[in-house]
Amino acid sequence: MPEPFRLRRMATRWGSCTHAGQLTFNPLLVQAPKECIDYVLLHELCHVKEFSHARAYYALLGRVLPDWKVRRARLNRLVALPGQR
């Protein structure tokens, strides 16, 4: 059975999801506010159902988290990743 998720430092990503559904999260995410962490978790979980960033993916994300754009903007404003400085 695969691990429920992994932690890995990533220079330019908060999280990732493989085709097999393996979720990986950047441990630096703990520096973010809870609503931003929720956004990243739900963003990656939506990839389990809709893998690409196509229209269907964003429709799903919008259904589960209608204010995702606000949360993403806040996350990117408050916490910088090492590769984005």
Side-chain angles (χ1 to χ4, degrees), residues 48-64:
V48 173
K49 180 154 175 65
E50 296 288 343
F51 187 73
S52 72
H53 284 115
R55 189 175 312 197
Y57 168 81
Y58 285 109
L60 175 61
L61 183 58
R63 283 193 304 276
V64 298

Side-chain angles (χ1 to χ4, degrees), residues 35-67:
E35 70 265 12
C36 297
I37 296 170
D38 289 347
Y39 156 70
V40 174
L41 295 175
L42 288 169
H43 177 104
E44 298 307 334
L45 286 170
C46 285
H47 280 306
V48 173
K49 180 154 175 65
E50 296 288 343
F51 187 73
S52 72
H53 284 115
R55 189 175 312 197
Y57 168 81
Y58 285 109
L60 175 61
L61 183 58
R63 283 193 304 276
V64 298
L65 195 65
D67 66 341

Side-chain angles (χ1 to χ4, degrees), residues 14 27-33 36-37 72-82 84-85:
W14 292 112
L28 296 176
L29 189 58
V30 300
Q31 298 174 18
C36 297
I37 296 170
R72 179 183 66 182
R74 183 169 188 221
L75 174 62
N76 292 331
R77 188 174 61 250
L78 295 177
V79 185
L81 287 168
Q84 296 176 337
R85 291 183 183 161

